[in-house]
Amino acid sequence: MDRIEFDTTIEREGVIRIPANLTNGLRNGEAVHVTVAPEPAERMTVKRMREHPIHAPGFKPLTREEIYDWNK
């Protein structure tokens, strides 16, 4: 069986339900591997990074010449 990924919420007592359309090929009692990764509270998107840049003291962006001169 191929891997499946889906987003869901944890129900009572830690129950995670697999959506019905993704249960094809799964059988009761079959061993499966489960990885749980909590959804981050706020996704760091490019838009958000542009709107809220992180300022680092002493940071100096590279010049165009420095960018293209690195491999000489």
Side-chain angles (χ1 to χ4, degrees):
M1 179 177 155
D2 294 328
R3 278 180 197 229
I4 59 172
E5 285 188 30
F6 57 91
D7 295 322
T8 189
T9 55
I10 297 175
E11 297 179 9
R12 59 176 168 64
E13 300 175 12
V15 173
I16 298 173
R17 296 212 182 268
I18 300 172
N21 63 325
L22 299 177
T23 58
N24 298 346
L26 296 177
R27 296 182 304 274
N28 286 338
E30 180 180 23
V32 295
H33 174 83
V34 177
T35 302
V36 177
E39 192 68 28
E42 187 175 339
R43 291 185 183 261
M44 186 59 69
T45 62
V46 172
K47 180 182 179 193
R48 184 177 177 341
M49 288 189 284
R50 284 189 197 130
E51 292 171 352
H52 306 283
I54 298 171
H55 299 285
F59 173 77
K60 178 183 136 309
L62 296 173
T63 64
R64 181 180 299 270
E65 291 77 26
E66 290 170 327
I67 292 170
Y68 291 104
D69 194 42
W70 68 271
N71 65 349
K72 288 186 180 180

